Amino acid sequence: MTVWPPLPPMHTGLRGRCPRCGQGHIFQGFLTIRAACEVCDLDYSFAEPADGPAFFVMTFACVPSVLLAVWLEVQFQPAWWLHLLISLPVILITCIPPLRPLKGWLVSSQYYHKAEEGKWDRSPPHG
């Protein structure tokens, strides 16, 4: 049985690497999670980042980008095509590229912290 040292989620996840071995890949395509690591065979079925990456991107990238577009409109009232040339690329550049590293970080964090689905604790209270 191979013993794997714990790898920090920031190191493996942001690079899209396997949270156990750090060599294999988490993703198959842009955001699709592989079934398992091609190096250490870690089963990725535990990984369920849900809407976490989208939430972080919307909060820290999309909102400021949209505020820039609104400010541009209120301050200068440019033609619609100027918004297409300025606002749309800014929104796309700040919102799409961070999705993959954030999803990788969340998957790696789930593995590192042994996160799993919540369950009801029906045991009697202690005390």
Side-chain angles (χ1 to χ4, degrees):
M1 178 176 182
T2 305
V3 177
W4 302 96
L7 300 172
M10 291 294 277
H11 178 71
T12 56
L14 293 179
R15 296 179 324 145
R17 299 297 182 168
C18 173
R20 180 163 70 181
C21 69
Q23 301 299 313
H25 298 88
I26 294 174
F27 299 106
Q28 175 180 340
F30 183 61
L31 289 175
T32 305
I33 298 175
R34 293 176 179 269
C37 175
E38 71 267 28
V39 175
C40 70
D41 289 327
L42 173 65
D43 181 12
Y44 290 144
S45 63
F46 70 88
E48 184 48 52
D51 293 333
F55 169 78
F56 287 117
V57 167
M58 285 187 300
T59 303
F60 298 111
C62 188
V63 171
S65 299
V66 170
L67 289 176
L68 171 70
V70 170
W71 174 81
L72 187 65
E73 177 62 34
V74 170
Q75 191 69 28
F76 301 107
Q77 299 175 348
W80 65 269
W81 58 268
L82 201 54
H83 272 295
L84 287 178
L85 292 176
I86 297 172
S87 303
L88 184 62
V90 168
I91 289 171
L92 293 176
I93 289 170
T94 58
C95 293
I96 294 175
L99 284 173
R100 185 177 167 120
L102 283 172
K103 189 170 186 175
W105 170 67
L106 288 172
V107 168
S108 292
S109 293
Q110 286 177 330
Y111 176 80
Y112 184 82
H113 295 289
K114 297 172 181 56
E116 55 186 46
E117 188 175 340
K119 298 175 184 136
W120 289 101
D121 181 11
R122 302 208 184 262
S123 62
H126 303 289

